[in-house]
Amino acid sequence: MGRFYQLSKKISEQEVSEIMREVLELPEIKDAEIVDGKVRVDVFADVMSTVVNIFRRVAGGCELSFVGFAYKD
């Protein structure tokens, strides 16, 4: 099951690239993408604290707020 999180601020393309590289390297992540100020993450386990820390570190304090679940057909 995926989850959507709202970004607290606009982040640069360079920050997006670095964040996605690090997030997708996590073994518990099946897939992730950033679209329209939201990040969708499909996870095998609860690794969101690690993902939140990556955003905070790479994008200078960018916070994530849970928006809802992303269901696949």
Side-chain angles (χ1 to χ4, degrees):
M1 178 187 320
R3 298 175 184 163
F4 281 107
Y5 294 86
Q6 182 73 42
L7 280 63
S8 66
K9 68 177 194 173
K10 185 169 175 63
I11 58 178
S12 71
E13 287 300 318
Q14 183 178 0
E15 290 168 329
V16 168
S17 294
E18 177 62 19
I19 288 167
M20 295 310 298
R21 183 188 66 75
E22 290 189 35
V23 167
L24 291 170
E25 286 178 352
L26 297 170
E28 301 88 354
I29 301 292
K30 291 192 277 188
D31 191 26
E33 66 179 342
I34 298 174
V35 178
D36 297 329
K38 294 180 187 164
V39 61
R40 181 193 51 79
V41 181
D42 293 339
V43 296
F44 287 114
D46 190 17
V47 297
M48 285 311 298
S49 61
T50 302
V51 172
V52 167
N53 288 335
I54 291 170
F55 272 84
R56 193 176 292 148
R57 179 176 43 81
V58 174
C62 181
E63 299 290 333
L64 300 179
S65 301
F66 180 73
V67 175
F69 293 101
Y71 299 100
K72 289 193 174 186
D73 296 331

